[in-house]
Structure formats: structure tokens, C-alpha cells
Amino acid sequence: MSNAPADLKYTATHEWLKADTDGTYLMGITDHAQELLGDIVFVELPEEGREVAAGEEIAVIESVKAASDIYAPVAGTIVAVNETLTDSPDTINDDAFSAGWILRLQPSNAADVDALMSADDYMQSLAD
């Protein structure tokens, strides 16, 4: 059964955002998404400094089953990427909500994050 930590915001395309103390947000894919993908074997990380639009494809995750695009939850600038995933992409399978983060995003408008789904809303969307 998938879980969704209450302190995160979620998208319908199964990405999450977690607020950090410096106004940036860690971003990754949900537990549900990594379960659907199965064993992750490759992550194509975006470039640091890249400005992205909400909904824009920003990364690709490949598993033994399929490849999946990852989308920007909100507009902003990618300020860091998780280089650990280059050598250990399966970190996402092991810890999707912490060590398996994909990138750090500085939103163009922090209020856009508030418009994303709560954990309860996300879990309800999975049940629908």
C-alpha cells in the first residue's frame, strides 16, 4: 500500500514537493509511482540552473518495466540535483520520500506550491 507523508505537496502526475528552510523545495516521485515503475535502473537528471514551467518535462526515470517522464510541479529554477541517483538510481525504490529526492527547486511563486494536492487529496485521487 502506498503512503503519502502529510508534510508534502503532491501532483496528479505523482511528484512531491517538500519545503526546506531556505525557501527551496526538494522534489521526487511518490511511493505509488516507484511501485508502479518497479526496479529503477536509470535516472536522467536535469541541469542545475535550468528554469522550468509548471508541467514541463524535467527528468526521465527508467525501470525494468518502462520509462516515465517527470514533470515540474510548479514553475521555478532547478538549484540542485541528487547526483547519488546517477550511480544508485534504485535509491528511489528504497526511500522515495527522503534519500531518493530528484532535485531541489526554487519556485517562481511560492504560492503555487499551496495549490498542489495535500496528502489526503493525493491518496483520494489514487482511490478514485
Side-chain angles (χ1 to χ4, degrees), residues 5-118:
D7 62 333
L8 307 180
K9 290 294 201 167
Y10 299 87
T11 69
T13 53
H14 311 291
E15 291 87 15
W16 56 262
L17 282 179
K18 179 179 183 178
D20 207 348
T21 55
D22 62 358
T24 64
Y25 290 80
L26 290 179
M27 193 208 98
I29 63 168
T30 65
D31 191 44
H32 177 75
Q34 71 80 24
E35 285 175 0
L36 290 176
L37 284 167
D39 294 333
I40 295 172
V41 296
F42 178 75
V43 179
E44 181 182 311
L45 296 168
E47 288 185 34
E48 289 182 20
R50 177 176 162 192
E51 291 190 23
V52 297
E56 179 180 340
E57 178 190 314
I58 55 174
V60 176
I61 293 180
E62 294 181 14
S63 72
V64 295
K65 292 182 182 179
S68 181
D69 294 330
I70 307 302
Y71 302 96
V74 296
T77 303
I78 297 168
V79 296
V81 296
N82 187 353
E83 296 289 349
T84 300
L85 301 179
T86 302
D87 293 327
S88 300
D90 58 332
T91 302
I92 295 172
N93 293 121
D94 297 335
D95 191 2
F97 292 116
S98 189
W101 64 276
I102 296 170
L103 58 89
R104 182 179 301 274
L105 184 69
Q106 176 69 57
S108 300
N109 182 357
D112 292 345
V113 175
D114 294 334
L116 298 175
M117 287 189 274
S118 68

